[in-house]
């Protein structure tokens, strides 16, 4: 057997093993797959598919990694492999899909890693100061007791011990060879990779969808993509795909499946990024998720505001956009701004019942002092948290009574309501503690708390 054939057989075997390991869908499987794809690529460095597979495995490793340095390392390896893949086969779209994913995720991971490095440096500096103070204290004690203790006989001396390291873990070091890839990652580079992928040969509908979704993720992350290129997207199939996705979003919204609706509106925006109605609709989804704390919701007021602001920017004479903006600001406790947004909307449509209601709701808060407004926002947030906890534990028979379920506290008084209510004393104001408190009751409490400050 020739050396060339033998090498080809080894490459094929390693690739097959890598595919099988990857298919396991576990962290261990992805790690093994990366090792096998890397070995295969070292034997056949001109094989772009192996590099693409290696990038895919490293992406999954990075997504599963909790340590900031470890995540950056895995994603940088993914970007390095994807970049080499694209250099070898620039007309192959899947390589650009991998590269764009690595660039996008590495930007976010790099930010967390840099924050972690700052925290580690601050912790190390504090540790050094504590060690210095500790040694100084020991020297003071030795000075005071000098001459007051028996002389140590020759041979009885104990070796000096190193000062305690105070439990500070050694920092994880990212390999220097990966620093160029880490530095090169940017949202602009990600956009460039997406555009290159869309211009590549043999594009499948699935790959087009992935690339367009990545471009929309860039917009949602605050990156301003090329407007001229974006306007061409709606012409890809006559806008049919965007319309179909919007239809699915409308149906999900009507069924109050807000998480699904938001996802479908995002799909539509990926193909029609200048549609103000889609931003308005998605803002409503985010607001509903935040306001109800349904599964997948909570913390959705910020994206609700982002979408509402984009809607108003695209269509300043669309009154509903101001209503979305007012709702999001209200959810964020920014009541004065919510009132201003509602008034701006009424200047466009003075007869809008929704905007009149938004104005009335916000004005009720702005009539209070700033201190009361802050307390009202805090109480509303705690009420949402209590409601979410109640939903999470709703399937458990926490009271120990009849009816099945998971009896955690057999015979406990008050059941679930008692447990949630009993949290009211935690942390000064508690974890809500009064999930059924009315707005009027919360306002009375907020006034009392503000007066007590």
């Amino acid at each position: 057997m020739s050396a060339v054939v033998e090498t080809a057989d080894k490459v094929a075997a390693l690739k097959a093993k890598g595919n099988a390991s990857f298919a396991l869908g576990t962290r261990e499987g992805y790690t093994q797959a990366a090792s096998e794809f890397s070995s295969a690529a070292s034997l056949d460095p001109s094989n772009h598919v192996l590099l693409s597979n290696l990038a895919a495995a490293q992406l999954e490793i990075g997504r599963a990694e909790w340590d900031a340095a470890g995540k950056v390392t895995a994603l940088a390896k993914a970007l390095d492999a994807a970049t080499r893949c694209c250099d070898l086969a620039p007309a192959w779209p899947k390589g650009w899909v991998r590269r764009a994913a690595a660039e996008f995720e590495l930007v976010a991971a790099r930010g967390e890693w840099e924050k972690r490095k700052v925290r580690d440096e601050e912790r190390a500096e504090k540790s050094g100061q504590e060690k210095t103070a500790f040694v100084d204290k020991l020297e003071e004690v030795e000075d005071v007791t000098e001459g007051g203790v028996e002389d140590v006989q020759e041979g009885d001396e104990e070796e000096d011990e190193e000062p305690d390291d105070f439990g500070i873990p050694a920092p994880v070091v990212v390999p220097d060879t990966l620093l160029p890839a880490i530095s090169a990652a940017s949202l602009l580079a990600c956009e460039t990779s997406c555009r290159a992928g869309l211009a590549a040969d043999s594009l499948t509908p699935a790959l087009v969808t992935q690339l367009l979704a990545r471009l929309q993720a860039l917009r949602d992350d605050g990156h301003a993509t090329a407007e001229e290129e974006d306007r061409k997207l709606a012409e890809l199939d006559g806008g049919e795909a965007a319309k179909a996705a919007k239809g699915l979003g409308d149906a999900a919204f009507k069924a109050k499946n807000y998480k699904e609706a938001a996802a479908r509106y995002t799909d539509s925006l990926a193909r029609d990024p200048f549609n103000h109605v889609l931003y308005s609709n998605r803002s409503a989804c985010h607001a509903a998720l935040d306001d109800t704390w349904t599964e997948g919701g909570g913390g959705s007021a910020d994206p609700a505001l982002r979408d509402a602001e984009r809607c108003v920017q695209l269509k300043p004479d669309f009154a509903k956009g101001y209503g979305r903006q007012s709702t999001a600001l209200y959810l964020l406790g920014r009541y004065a701004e919510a009132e201003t947004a509602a008034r701006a909307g009424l200047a466009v449509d003075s007869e809008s019942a929704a905007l009149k209601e938004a104005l009335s709701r916000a004005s009720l808060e702005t009539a209070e002092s700033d201190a009361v407004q802050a307390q009202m926002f805090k109480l509303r947030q705690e009420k949402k948290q209590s409601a979410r906890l109640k939903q999470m534990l709703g399937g458990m028979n926490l009271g120990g009574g009849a009816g099945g379920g998971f009896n955690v506290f057999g015979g406990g008084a008050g059941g679930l309501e008692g447990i949630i209510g009993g949290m009211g004393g935690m942390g000064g104001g508690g974890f809500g503690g009064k999930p059924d408190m009315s707005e009027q009751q919360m306002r009375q409490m907020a006034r009392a708390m503000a007066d007590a400050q």
Side-chain angles (χ1 to χ4, degrees):
M1 181 182 294
S2 69
V4 173
V5 173
E6 185 176 352
T7 299
D9 288 344
K10 288 182 180 178
V11 169
L14 285 167
K15 181 183 177 185
K17 288 182 180 179
N19 290 339
S21 298
F22 190 95
L24 294 175
T26 64
R27 180 170 178 172
E28 293 75 14
Y30 296 132
T31 301
Q32 185 62 30
S35 175
E36 287 153 349
F37 289 139
S38 180
S39 296
S42 66
L43 293 173
D44 187 2
S46 64
N47 190 323
H48 64 280
V49 174
L50 292 173
L51 291 169
S52 174
N53 291 358
L54 174 58
Q58 290 292 352
L59 277 168
E60 295 299 338
I61 294 171
R63 290 163 183 163
E65 179 60 67
W66 62 270
D67 179 76
K71 183 180 285 289
V72 163
T73 297
L75 294 175
K77 289 180 179 180
L79 178 55
D80 176 71
T83 299
R84 287 187 284 149
C85 171
C86 293
D87 289 343
L88 288 171
W92 195 58
K94 188 173 287 189
W96 294 109
V97 171
R98 308 280 196 234
R99 180 168 173 170
E103 287 165 333
F104 184 85
E105 295 180 37
L106 183 51
V107 168
R110 183 179 61 199
E112 290 302 314
W113 176 53
E114 290 171 346
K115 291 178 184 177
R116 175 62 182 271
K117 286 196 295 182
V118 171
R119 290 197 297 269
D120 286 346
E121 290 171 359
E122 292 174 346
R123 192 177 295 125
E125 181 180 357
K126 182 179 179 181
S127 175
Q129 294 171 349
E130 290 175 346
K131 288 178 181 179
T132 299
F134 178 72
V135 172
D136 290 344
K137 188 66 176 178
L138 285 179
E139 291 176 350
E140 291 177 9
V141 173
E142 290 173 355
D143 291 340
V144 171
T145 59
E146 185 175 358
V149 295
E150 295 182 5
D151 292 336
V152 178
Q153 299 299 317
E154 185 177 352
D156 291 342
E157 298 91 342
E158 294 184 0
E159 294 184 2
D160 291 337
E161 295 183 357
E162 291 293 327
D164 192 285
D165 65 0
F166 292 85
I168 304 301
V172 178
V173 179
V174 176
D176 289 343
T177 54
L178 295 176
L179 295 180
I182 295 171
S183 299
S186 69
L187 298 185
L188 179 58
C190 179
E191 179 184 359
T192 300
S193 294
C194 290
R195 305 288 184 195
L198 290 170
D201 298 333
S202 305
L203 270 172
T204 64
L207 291 176
V208 170
T209 297
Q210 290 180 58
L211 290 165
L212 293 178
R214 185 66 62 189
L215 283 172
Q216 184 57 38
L218 287 169
R219 299 184 198 101
D220 290 341
D221 205 48
H223 174 69
T225 53
E227 181 174 340
E228 184 177 347
E229 294 297 320
D230 284 345
R231 292 197 179 279
K232 298 176 184 178
L233 298 179
E235 305 170 4
L236 287 177
D237 58 358
E240 291 304 315
K243 292 176 184 176
K246 181 181 181 298
L248 293 173
D250 292 342
F253 189 90
K254 187 176 181 180
K256 297 185 178 181
N257 188 349
Y258 302 118
K259 186 176 180 181
E260 174 67 16
R264 298 291 75 79
Y265 289 136
T266 300
D267 292 343
S268 188
L269 278 167
R271 296 172 180 273
D272 189 6
F274 296 97
N275 190 321
H276 65 283
V277 174
L278 292 172
Y279 279 108
S280 172
N281 291 359
R282 194 172 67 168
S283 176
C285 293
H286 288 311
L289 286 168
D290 184 273
D291 197 33
T292 59
W293 277 90
T294 52
E295 184 177 356
S300 296
D302 284 314
L305 179 59
R306 176 200 67 203
D307 282 352
E309 290 178 337
R310 180 57 174 158
C311 172
V312 170
Q313 181 186 36
L314 289 170
K315 189 72 171 174
D317 60 349
F318 183 63
K320 188 176 287 187
Y322 296 96
R324 306 297 192 208
Q325 191 176 29
S326 180
T327 296
L329 288 164
Y330 185 91
L331 291 172
L332 289 166
R334 295 160 60 177
Y335 302 122
E337 293 173 79
E339 181 180 359
T340 299
R343 292 188 186 282
L346 286 169
V348 175
D349 181 3
S350 60
E351 301 302 318
S352 171
L355 283 167
K356 289 179 181 179
E357 181 181 352
L359 177 60
S360 176
R361 179 179 58 193
S363 298
L364 182 63
E365 303 306 322
T366 57
E368 305 282 0
S369 67
D370 290 346
V372 172
Q373 291 179 46
Q375 291 296 339
M376 282 297 293
F377 175 67
K378 179 181 178 182
L379 289 170
R380 289 189 175 110
Q381 293 300 101
E382 290 176 347
K383 184 174 181 177
K384 290 177 188 178
Q385 291 170 350
S386 292
R388 189 184 194 190
L389 178 62
K390 183 177 179 180
Q391 181 186 28
M392 290 170 58
L393 302 180
M396 300 181 183
N397 180 12
L398 297 181
F406 182 41
N407 186 348
V408 179
F409 306 109
L416 179 60
E417 295 295 339
I419 291 170
I420 295 177
M423 293 180 178
M426 296 172 60
F431 186 64
K434 300 175 178 62
D436 296 323
M437 186 185 294
S438 68
E439 280 283 311
Q440 183 179 359
Q441 290 172 323
M442 284 196 295
R443 194 169 301 280
Q444 291 172 348
M445 180 177 286
R447 288 170 178 168
M449 294 170 71
D451 289 341
Q453 289 181 344

